[in-house]
Amino acid sequence: MRGLNQIYMVVKIALRALGRNKMRSALTMLGVVIGVGAVIAMVAVGQGASKAVQAQIASMGSNVLMVHSGSSFHGGVRGGAGSVTTLTGDDARAIEKECSAVDLVAPTLRTATQVISSNQNWSTMIIGTTPSYQFIRSWPVESESGSFFKQSDQDGASKVAVLGKTVSDNLFGSQDPINQTVRIWKIPFRVIGVLSGKGQSAQGQDQDDIVIVPLSTMQKRILGVTNIGSIFVSARTPEDTFVAQQQITDLLRQRHHIQPGQDDDFSIRNFTDVAATADATTRILTILLGSIASVSLVVGGIGIMNIMLVSVTERTREIGIRMAEGARERDILIQFLVESAVISILGGLIGILLGTGISYLISSFAEWPTLISKGSIILAFLFSGSVGLFFGFYPAFRASRLEPAEALRYE
Amino acid sequence: MEELRKVYKMGSVDIYALRGISLDINHKEFVSIMGPSGSGKSTLMNIIGCMDRPTDGRYLLEGVDIRSLGKDELAHIRNKRIGFIFQGFNLLPRHTAMENVELPLLYNGIAGKQRRERAMEALSKVGLAGRAGHFSTQLSGGEQQRVAIARALVKNPPLILADEPTGNLDSRTSTEVMEILQTLNEKNGITIILITHEKDIALFSKRIIKLRDGEVESDSIIEEPIRAVEFTGEKR
């Protein structure tokens, strides 16, 4: 086929022409390299942030709902959430039994106090809860010898405690805390496990600064109360969280005899909402960084057009010679298009390497998580290729429309 | 069929244009077109070379009316039927002699091995086989012009159009170039149209057409063209 062969030859000619002018080709490429590199690196930063946020959200436990007791309301003065103790263990049991979208329920009661080991002390948060808690928060116990407490501990109000990582580090350092004794309000507790590290919460709190004891122990031995503070609930699936929220609201309003039109005496926090907001925020960040970086890619494309236009003028005589020797308009057009496409595609490939390198540097030196996705690489590559074709077309078109006789006369 | 005929008439108000020229150039002729600058030599040359189309009149190349052809068809004729030799050599910079000679074959889609063989053969004919890998800037003026002749030859054209081929060369290399052209004309039967303003050079041809102000001033046959080989003393 003459046509196909012809195109192959013209591509060969274009590559040869690029090779004969390495400096110019390299400089033109630089614009695309920087543009693509910037896009890759910036999107990596944004997606890294987004992944970090998602990981944090996941650390709170997926599809988790928190039911808090409501605020007090006496003579126009409203207390904060939990200032009245409207929730009971029966509420928790009812939720578990009657709400179909609910998987697990863990009633909790918390208090801040000092924990004392043989030679150290540490002020922390004590949470009394049931064994479901660790599953709702998907929070395993760290060492093989340790474990979370059992339902029997809950039933017998055992004096056992599971320590958060921060508490364990502060009280026992490098020692094994298992089977050691800690005292909470002068009551000795046996340490039966240490929770794995969860790190900071989305609000910046240290989630590992915690001691967990059975709820019954907390109620009877520490605080001497019968109510509970809040209830952790997990929905069966993330999609079920909103259904679960509605079911819990209906159930509690009925149990607490709240008339239609009256305010709830409890509140439900839905972590899926928090997650969605955080996710949207980081997505916006990614788009923002990406679009700023694409500006430099467009500038790189204009650079290609600029150089190609100059090059068409500079190579007018060459074009004349080619036309005299039998190049058709489309041969010249394809040659110049291929030249700019090769520049931008090659520049795109180098830019991908550069961007990957930069994001690696960012994550290792600035300790900012970065994530390079296949999607951003493919997108940047396709974009750079089309930039080359788009900005290369006009110069190539101009070159192809030269009159051979005039082009040859050009000095 | 091999007969090259050209009938050309042109009427125009443009000062530089040709004002109605009628010529017949036959196959295997060696014609010089002479005339001072502004006489329309270059315009005529561009039209003969299918790089430009006449605004009026007819130009038949091998019986085909050029005005009826599209740009691509003209490019194809330039690629296959006409060899060009220019005053300024017009070789591609930063390309080797070989690559320059290959150029027309590239646009004809002739593949690798055959292309190189034909290019090398053409370079041998002008005595430059040993310099195939040299860049055009590394060659002397005479050598560059011989590369240009090889580039014209590689097409195996029935017609070679030489525009002031000796304009940038000293008299000795000019004679060498003319010798090559004479050989091509006599041995290979290639029609040669030579454009020059030098009487000495024109005397190597068999027919001189003088132009003035876009019209044919005179058209004469040279009975005894100068034999370039007698000056160079070389045997081909």
Side-chain angles (χ1 to χ4, degrees):
Chain A
M1 265 321 282
R2 183 171 184 263
L4 253 177
N5 213 352
Q6 197 93 348
I7 288 172
Y8 168 71
M9 294 298 174
V10 169
V11 169
K12 198 167 170 168
I13 288 167
L15 293 178
R16 199 180 264 184
L18 282 179
R20 293 298 140 83
N21 225 323
K22 290 196 178 67
M23 190 64 182
R24 188 183 59 201
S25 310
L27 284 175
T28 317
M29 217 176 275
L30 198 61
V32 184
V33 169
I34 291 173
V36 171
V39 169
I40 296 277
M42 292 296 104
V43 170
V45 165
Q47 290 190 332
S50 150
K51 199 189 174 198
V53 166
Q54 278 166 0
Q56 271 180 352
I57 289 162
S59 79
M60 292 189 287
S62 54
N63 44 319
V64 172
L65 293 166
M66 264 180 86
V67 186
H68 293 288
S69 43
S71 58
S72 60
F73 189 79
H74 289 296
V77 180
R78 299 186 65 177
S83 55
V84 287
T85 49
T86 50
L87 292 176
T88 64
D90 288 341
D91 285 336
R93 276 185 286 278
I95 290 171
E96 188 162 22
K97 233 168 95 183
E98 289 176 33
C99 298
S100 59
V102 167
D103 186 21
L104 295 170
V105 174
T108 65
L109 185 58
R110 52 170 62 204
T111 185
T113 188
Q114 201 182 38
V115 183
I116 301 164
S117 69
S118 54
N119 57 354
Q120 289 288 341
N121 66 82
W122 183 252
S123 288
T124 185
M125 179 68 69
I126 316 289
I127 292 185
T129 186
T130 59
S132 308
Y133 185 80
Q134 68 159 339
F135 300 113
I136 294 174
R137 305 233 26 212
S138 40
W139 203 352
V141 166
E142 201 177 41
S143 69
E144 294 124 27
S145 54
S147 62
F148 209 81
F149 51 79
K150 307 281 187 304
Q151 188 60 37
S152 55
D153 295 316
Q154 160 71 10
D155 295 341
S158 310
K159 290 181 281 182
V160 291
V162 178
L163 306 186
K165 192 137 181 35
T166 306
V167 177
S168 166
D169 288 348
N170 280 290
L171 290 181
F172 297 101
S174 56
Q175 276 180 278
D176 185 8
I178 307 296
N179 288 328
Q180 301 271 9
T181 303
V182 292
R183 277 175 296 151
I184 302 167
W185 282 17
K186 297 184 180 163
I187 304 160
F189 281 79
R190 188 166 60 89
V191 177
I192 57 165
V194 177
L195 294 164
S196 59
K198 244 188 195 312
Q200 281 193 351
S201 73
Q203 288 82 29
Q205 286 166 338
D206 181 1
Q207 300 183 85
D208 299 323
D209 194 358
I210 196 175
V211 174
I212 300 178
V213 298
L215 176 66
S216 50
T217 316
M218 182 79 160
Q219 284 174 324
K220 290 175 193 162
R221 298 186 194 271
I222 300 179
L223 293 180
V225 295
T226 54
N227 68 292
I228 57 169
S230 48
I231 305 170
F232 274 77
V233 177
S234 68
R236 291 192 184 279
T237 65
E239 294 74 40
D240 276 341
T241 41
F242 293 99
V243 184
Q245 184 168 359
Q246 193 55 50
Q247 287 175 346
I248 295 166
T249 306
D250 293 345
L251 179 72
L252 288 182
R253 282 183 74 93
Q254 184 204 329
R255 284 180 61 85
H256 294 183
H257 309 295
I258 297 164
Q259 301 301 317
Q262 268 186 300
D263 285 344
D264 296 343
D265 64 350
F266 57 90
S267 63
I268 300 177
R269 267 184 73 198
N270 183 342
F271 281 123
T272 313
D273 279 347
V274 181
T277 312
D279 207 32
T281 312
T282 50
R283 187 161 298 149
I284 288 168
L285 178 76
T286 307
I287 291 170
L288 188 70
L289 288 173
S291 43
I292 291 171
S294 349
V295 171
S296 59
L297 190 52
V298 172
V299 171
I302 294 172
I304 291 186
M305 177 146 87
N306 191 5
I307 301 282
M308 291 309 285
L309 277 175
V310 170
S311 146
V312 166
T313 312
E314 186 190 276
R315 291 159 70 187
T316 298
R317 203 180 173 82
E318 176 196 323
I319 295 163
I321 297 169
R322 292 187 183 282
M323 285 180 154
E325 297 305 337
R328 293 163 303 173
E329 284 188 359
R330 81 181 93 128
D331 294 331
I332 301 290
L333 183 81
I334 293 170
Q335 178 187 341
F336 277 79
L337 267 185
V338 167
E339 283 187 27
S340 55
V342 165
I343 283 177
S344 59
I345 287 172
L346 220 62
L349 287 177
I350 298 172
I352 287 169
L353 292 180
L354 182 81
T356 312
I358 288 175
S359 39
Y360 179 73
L361 286 181
I362 289 175
S363 53
S364 59
F365 285 111
E367 288 177 2
W368 180 285
T370 57
L371 179 76
I372 294 168
S373 67
K374 253 183 226 151
S376 70
I377 286 179
I378 292 169
L379 199 73
F381 186 69
L382 291 181
F383 194 42
S384 68
S386 39
V387 157
L389 287 181
F390 180 79
F391 288 106
F393 185 79
Y394 178 64
F397 180 72
R398 284 246 307 231
S400 72
R401 297 314 291 265
L402 287 172
E403 286 295 331
E406 278 168 42
L408 271 176
R409 227 178 288 136
Y410 186 86
E411 291 298 327
Chain B
M1 293 297 280
E2 293 271 30
E3 186 183 61
L4 178 86
R5 299 184 77 248
K6 188 176 72 70
V7 183
Y8 173 69
K9 289 192 188 85
M10 185 176 176
S12 171
V13 287
D14 199 309
I15 323 162
Y16 294 100
L18 309 171
R19 302 174 191 208
I21 289 179
S22 295
L23 286 174
D24 263 313
I25 294 173
N26 294 311
H27 193 50
K28 297 182 183 177
E29 269 199 282
F30 189 159
V31 187
S32 291
I33 296 176
M34 292 190 70
S37 30
S39 60
K41 290 194 308 265
S42 301
T43 317
L44 183 58
M45 145 102 186
N46 287 336
I47 289 167
I48 297 173
C50 295
M51 292 202 274
D52 216 343
R53 277 179 286 194
T55 39
D56 205 0
R58 284 206 309 161
Y59 165 33
L60 297 181
L61 176 71
E62 297 177 309
V64 178
D65 187 354
I66 293 311
R67 273 179 54 127
S68 68
L69 300 179
K71 283 186 169 180
D72 285 357
E73 288 163 311
L74 289 185
H76 190 62
I77 289 178
R78 293 197 297 270
N79 185 245
K80 301 276 276 187
R81 315 300 296 168
I82 306 173
F84 293 93
I85 301 167
F86 302 97
Q87 177 176 10
F89 319 137
N90 277 342
L91 298 180
L92 291 181
R94 300 193 190 87
H95 286 65
T96 61
M98 184 72 163
E99 287 165 347
N100 268 289
V101 176
E102 280 181 338
L103 190 64
L105 302 182
L106 274 173
Y107 285 113
N108 197 13
I110 290 174
K113 189 161 173 256
Q114 195 193 351
R115 186 176 69 231
R116 277 187 293 278
E117 277 170 6
R118 276 179 67 176
M120 190 51 92
E121 193 188 333
L123 277 172
S124 312
K125 277 185 193 160
V126 295
L128 282 178
R131 319 219 71 179
H134 286 64
F135 287 99
S136 45
T137 41
Q138 295 171 321
L139 301 171
S140 72
E143 286 170 331
Q144 287 189 46
Q145 196 59 298
R146 273 146 69 192
V147 172
I149 294 173
R151 183 177 61 188
L153 274 181
V154 81
K155 303 172 180 175
N156 283 328
L159 168 66
I160 285 182
L161 201 53
D163 184 7
E164 304 267 12
T166 58
N168 287 6
L169 301 175
D170 60 34
S171 60
R172 187 180 156 73
T173 40
S174 295
T175 316
E176 283 173 14
V177 166
M178 292 316 295
E179 185 201 338
I180 296 173
L181 290 180
Q182 279 189 332
T183 311
L184 291 175
N185 177 242
E186 283 160 22
K187 297 227 173 108
N188 303 38
I190 298 173
T191 312
I192 294 181
I193 301 177
L194 175 72
I195 301 209
T196 183
H197 62 269
E198 290 173 79
K199 181 86 179 163
D200 297 349
I201 296 299
L203 285 174
F204 285 103
S205 64
K206 297 173 185 166
R207 176 183 170 192
I208 295 179
I209 298 166
K210 284 185 180 168
L211 295 184
R212 182 170 290 276
D213 298 332
E215 287 171 18
V216 177
E217 187 185 51
S218 68
D219 188 346
S220 50
I221 304 291
I222 308 293
E223 300 297 344
E224 292 267 328
I226 305 173
R227 306 284 312 160
V229 68
E230 288 166 16
F231 288 87
T232 58
E234 284 175 17
K235 292 281 170 210
R236 291 211 146 256

